[in-house]
Amino acid sequence: AQSVTQLDSHVSVSEGTPVLLRCNYSSSYSPSLFWYVQHPNKGLQLLLKYTSAATLVKGINGFEAEFKKSETSFHLTKPSAHMSDAAEYFCVVNPTSGTYKYIFGTGTRLKVLA
Amino acid sequence: ETGVTQSPTHLIKTRGQQVTLRCSSQSGHNTVSWYQQALGQGPQFIFQYYREEENGRGNFPPRFSGLQFPNYSSELNVNALELDDSALYLCASSPGGGNEQYFGPGTRLTVT
């Protein structure tokens, strides 16, 4: 069965320091993988996506993620955290090409300390 | 370009009642998916509509039903509401042949 595991439910970083949000996936096929961000009382915004092209994916707001098939991981990183990055982040797998039946992780709440 | 919109923003219903939530897809998108996000959880896939036909369903009972209209807007209907139906309901639209989904702001349903 396809699934996605976010390894940390909460992450705290100081402003200006690097961010690492961890995600592992399980899929029988070559999946599409996404990271979405959800600010309080807002909908989900797409940060970046991996669809079997380059393994290092650059997204919006300075975020990037690296697809590592051998480790079944798709960790999200940012070199320098900003206060506005504080939000809930979801790793998502779309296990079947041509459909949109997203499977979400349980989320990681990122806190940025001044 | 107008994004995905949902109405109403908030809704309070009583157990046993019925509710209809609405979603307008982004221009040019022919696929709409609905998700339920309980407090502190990730969204769970309810079902998807493609060109007015249901195109996949998650692990939700039949009292969750939907419609998609010729303009690709969509409704989610929930009958016989239960307390556990309290959640944020998210609608997402996708372009034909595309892979990413674009989410609306959601409707927060409270069942008392």
Side-chain angles (χ1 to χ4, degrees), chain A residues 13-24:
Chain A
V13 301
S14 297
E15 191 175 22
T17 64
V19 175
L20 170 63
L21 305 183
R22 299 182 294 165
C23 172
N24 286 104

Side-chain angles (χ1 to χ4, degrees), chain A residues 31-34 36 38 41-46 49-51 88 90 92 94 96-107, chain B residues 30-31 33 35 37 40-45 48 55-57 88 90 94-106 108:
Chain A
S32 296
L33 293 159
F34 307 82
Y36 280 83
Q38 187 175 37
N41 301 314
K42 295 285 183 68
L44 292 154
Q45 181 184 19
L46 178 66
K49 65 177 181 179
Y50 166 77
T51 54
E88 187 90 18
F90 292 97
V92 180
N94 183 14
T96 308
S97 177
T99 72
Y100 309 99
K101 301 168 191 174
Y102 281 8
I103 299 171
F104 281 78
T106 51
Chain B
N30 57 18
T31 303
S33 302
Y35 294 82
Q37 185 179 16
Q41 302 292 320
Q44 300 289 318
F45 175 74
Q48 178 185 103
N55 182 39
R57 189 178 183 91
L88 181 67
L90 295 163
S94 315
N99 202 348
E100 64 268 28
Q101 297 188 40
Y102 297 86
F103 285 81
R108 184 160 300 281

Side-chain angles (χ1 to χ4, degrees), chain A residues 37 39 45-47 58-64 77-80 82 84-85 89:
Chain A
V37 61
H39 291 275
Q45 181 184 19
L46 178 66
L47 279 177
K58 293 188 183 299
I60 62 171
N61 300 336
F63 285 95
E64 62 181 39
T77 60
K78 183 174 181 178
S80 176
H82 191 273
S84 61
D85 294 329
Y89 290 79

Side-chain angles (χ1 to χ4, degrees), chain B:
Chain B
E1 182 179 273
T2 304
V4 179
T5 60
Q6 293 185 243
S7 63
T9 306
H10 295 87
L11 202 53
I12 300 175
K13 289 287 190 177
T14 302
R15 189 172 51 184
Q17 287 187 316
Q18 178 267 342
V19 69
T20 297
L21 310 182
R22 294 178 175 84
C23 170
S24 291
S25 60
Q26 191 163 320
S27 177
H29 290 188
N30 57 18
T31 303
V32 172
S33 302
W34 286 91
Y35 294 82
Q36 181 195 67
Q37 185 179 16
L39 199 62
Q41 302 292 320
Q44 300 289 318
F45 175 74
I46 302 175
F47 45 55
Q48 178 185 103
Y49 279 83
Y50 171 68
R51 293 187 176 179
E52 303 178 58
E53 297 286 331
E54 188 177 292
N55 182 39
R57 189 178 183 91
N59 189 27
F60 281 80
R63 59 190 185 83
F64 285 77
S65 63
L67 281 174
Q68 188 179 32
F69 300 99
N71 66 354
Y72 303 134
S73 66
S74 178
E75 287 182 355
L76 164 65
N77 299 290
V78 187
N79 294 321
L81 284 166
E82 300 177 359
L83 296 178
D84 285 348
D85 296 334
S86 295
L88 181 67
Y89 288 84
L90 295 163
C91 168
S93 72
S94 315
N99 202 348
E100 64 268 28
Q101 297 188 40
Y102 297 86
F103 285 81
T107 293
R108 184 160 300 281
L109 172 65
T110 302
V111 182
T112 61

